[in-house]
Amino acid sequence: VTGQAVYREQALLGVELVATALEALGVPPVRIHHWDFADGTSGDATILGDLRDILRRLPANIPDAFVYYVGPATVEGMWAMTWRDQQGQLHHRLLQPDGAFDPPEECMLPPPEASAPGSRMIVADAPFTARSWMRPAVRQRGLAGWESTGLASTERGPALTRWLVG
């Protein structure tokens, strides 16, 4: 088993732990979305478009969103998604806090009408994410992230995720 396979296994376990905890708190499964950037994913994956679309479809009476990320990150804290498509071609997507969930012009105060309402509460169970994802922003609230490489995962899942779900 390679390091990449173990890392992916830990990420999937983290997602399962968070989804189970959210359901236990009463969040309906239909309101829990996740993406798995695994080999075989289409090369035109549009993570930003998909996220923004989900945020725009949130009910007006419940506009806030909890965003959990577990996976690799750059030393600057950007979330790093990498995968091979069906033809074996390597693809990368980096996601940084500025404009991640709303286009930059929609991060202004007050947000334009087209913007999805609500706050984004972020937990980034990825190395080096605290400095970038935890800084104050208009509608983005960093709840937890790693200052450095973080603690090692165990067979019970990623350390920050285990802390989060109790």
Side-chain angles (χ1 to χ4, degrees):
V1 178
T2 67
Q4 184 179 9
V6 170
Y7 202 95
R8 182 165 183 271
E9 179 182 296
Q10 287 294 306
L12 293 174
L13 181 55
V15 169
E16 182 182 332
L17 289 168
V18 170
T20 300
L22 289 171
E23 288 179 31
L25 292 170
V27 177
V30 69
R31 298 215 38 223
I32 300 171
H33 303 274
H34 82 275
W35 287 269
D36 179 6
F37 282 85
D39 288 348
T41 300
S42 167
D44 62 351
T46 57
I47 181 88
L48 286 178
D50 292 343
L51 280 170
R52 290 174 183 160
D53 185 50
I54 287 171
L55 293 172
R56 284 187 179 95
R57 288 185 284 133
L58 290 173
N61 62 330
I62 311 171
D64 299 333
F66 174 76
V67 179
Y68 167 76
Y69 174 79
V70 58
T74 68
V75 294
E76 295 84 20
M78 290 185 277
W79 298 348
M81 282 112 357
T82 303
W83 69 96
R84 292 190 183 277
D85 63 19
Q86 294 86 348
Q87 291 75 38
Q89 187 172 5
L90 193 61
H91 297 272
H92 307 280
R93 293 290 185 278
L94 295 177
L95 190 60
Q96 58 189 353
D98 299 326
F101 305 109
D102 297 300
E105 66 275 6
E106 294 183 5
C107 292
M108 298 181 280
L109 272 178
E113 292 291 320
S115 180
S119 295
R120 287 51 166 138
M121 288 146 291
I122 312 294
V123 170
D125 199 344
F128 306 107
T129 52
R131 199 166 293 143
S132 57
W133 290 91
M134 302 291 287
R135 69 175 190 250
V138 175
R139 297 183 327 168
Q140 189 168 293
R141 310 287 182 258
L143 302 178
W146 288 109
E147 183 67 31
S148 62
T149 58
L151 296 176
S153 297
T154 70
E155 67 279 351
R156 295 182 302 133
L160 185 62
T161 303
R162 292 192 323 267
W163 168 81
L164 176 70
V165 300

